[in-house]
Amino acid sequence: MRKVISLFVLVLVGIFFIGIGSALPMNVVETPNADGSYNVTDCTVLNESGVYVLNQSVTTTGTCFNITADNVTLDGNGNTIGGVGYYAIGNGIHVVGRDNITIKNFTSIMKFGGSGCVSDCFYAGILFENTNNSKIQNVNIS
């Protein structure tokens, strides 16, 4: 019985330590670049302030980047965000109720608009809703 309890405690401790890690979102490389920015490898939720650099073009069938933190810069680094198929049902970049957001340097954000949806088809390449002190620079949207 004592061995079973010890093993159980050991498993719980292991699960606890595995669960502890970076607060960075999925698809963000944990080691920062020399300038303090973080590389992003795919669509994700950006829920921590910081500078994120997309290191490859990405495609999606829904919203690609959902920014849920203030003080975020998303640098496309010359890459594209593309909806898959005729049009993705979602936004390329979705930002609601945030402050100090910068979206920059995307060659293209394309194929967002929800073609084929019946109602409430209000999707965009970039959606800023109730977002203040923010900017979009050097971005092509089609």
Side-chain angles (χ1 to χ4, degrees):
M1 179 73 167
R2 197 171 197 156
K3 286 183 182 181
V4 172
I5 291 172
S6 295
L7 181 60
F8 179 72
V9 169
L10 202 58
V11 169
L12 284 179
V13 168
I15 290 171
F16 176 75
F17 282 110
I18 289 170
I20 294 176
S22 171
L24 292 172
M26 267 176 58
N27 301 321
V28 174
V29 177
E30 289 189 33
T31 305
N33 297 319
D35 63 1
S37 66
Y38 290 90
N39 286 331
V40 179
T41 60
D42 206 347
C43 300
T44 192
V45 175
L46 299 176
N47 57 5
E48 295 287 328
S49 298
V51 177
Y52 299 92
V53 180
L54 185 61
N55 64 3
Q56 63 188 12
S57 293
V58 294
T59 58
T60 184
T61 57
T63 294
C64 188
F65 290 101
N66 188 5
I67 299 176
T68 62
D70 295 329
N71 306 308
V72 169
T73 295
L74 178 57
D75 185 341
N77 195 33
N79 290 297
T80 65
I81 300 173
V84 174
Y86 187 63
Y87 283 98
I89 297 178
N91 301 298
I93 301 169
H94 185 93
V95 186
V96 176
R98 298 289 106 205
D99 190 57
N100 193 30
I101 304 299
T102 300
I103 308 298
K104 64 181 185 176
N105 301 327
F106 282 91
T107 298
S108 180
I109 299 176
M110 60 185 174
K111 291 190 174 181
F112 291 90
S115 177
C117 57
V118 178
S119 63
D120 298 326
C121 298
F122 303 105
Y123 302 111
I126 299 173
L127 174 69
F128 275 9
E129 183 179 333
N130 298 322
T131 298
N132 301 302
N133 305 311
S134 298
K135 56 190 169 189
I136 299 169
Q137 301 174 311
N138 193 29
V139 175
N140 293 313
I141 299 175
S142 57

